[in-house]
Amino acid sequence: GAFHDSGARRDPSSCYPGTRKIALQTIYHWIENPAASHCLWLHGPAGTGKSAISQAVAEQCHRDQTLGASYFFTRGSTSGPPPLFSTLAYQLMKAVPDLDGHLWEMIREDQTVFQRSMSEQLDKLIVRPFLKLTNRPTHIVIIIDGLDECDNTTVQGEIVRLILDVQARSLPLRFLIASRPEPDIRRSFESPSPLYPPPVHLPLDASLNPERDIRHFLCKELGRIYKESVDDGMLAVPQTMWPPPEAVDQLVSKSSGHFIYASTVVKF
């Protein structure tokens, strides 16, 4: 896993300008709503733009100084429990004033905490230090992207359950989790405690009108490529309309709501 701005992530994609407005507005409203659940699940099939949205939210929250931590999973990075909560704790220590002293206190009390279970790490590295803060921030955003890329499906479900249980501690944390709707992850999200607000579900489906965003992306990018070709002298006779509307219609239809198809077309 890596941070949103880590050098280990080569050219992380963000949302194309003017796209994903509904999804982004929904997420920002959830972040600022004190009565909402502390967890939002952004989910959809591969290629629908989950990581781009996560990256865009991370960048905006970083600018707003509300980003506490981020963790972007990569396939095959670990076969056992990932260093998720220790990595998040390190970033939180840097982002939240006065948290570092309480965190180091917990580490001194248990110097083997990094070898302990995920439950113990979450409790000792994040929950308890936050509970000791006298001046807590109103909300701190934690982004976990690509949870389905964690190779252990049992661990996937356990991570969700642990994060959902954090709500009982009344911490100022907002967890945005993005993943494909894999069975273990879905079961955990659909079995929340009845004592607290259920997690917010944000599916990247037809209700968000992805075709409109894909059309905008294709028109802008194909238009850019055409202009560059004219400027370079590769096209002798400029076309009056490019890209042709019927060609865009065909590409939008073939994309079936998947941004990855449109971005691949533009690249080649």
Side-chain angles (χ1 to χ4, degrees), residues 32-75:
E32 296 172 359
N33 181 5
S37 168
H38 78 304
C39 185
L40 182 147
W41 182 30
L42 176 70
H43 57 92
T48 51
K50 300 180 296 296
S51 292
I53 293 174
S54 295
Q55 181 69 24
V57 174
E59 292 171 358
Q60 182 61 51
C61 289
H62 180 71
R63 288 191 291 269
D64 295 341
Q65 297 184 327
T66 57
L67 181 66
S70 59
Y71 192 98
F72 284 70
F73 278 92
T74 55
R75 178 69 67 182

Side-chain angles (χ1 to χ4, degrees), residues 40 42 63 79 96 101 104 109 126 202:
L40 182 147
L42 176 70
R63 288 191 291 269
S79 58
V96 180
W104 284 116
E109 289 180 5
I126 297 177
L202 182 55

Side-chain angles (χ1 to χ4, degrees), residues 26-37:
T26 300
I27 293 171
Y28 297 141
H29 177 74
W30 160 75
I31 290 172
E32 296 172 359
N33 181 5
S37 168

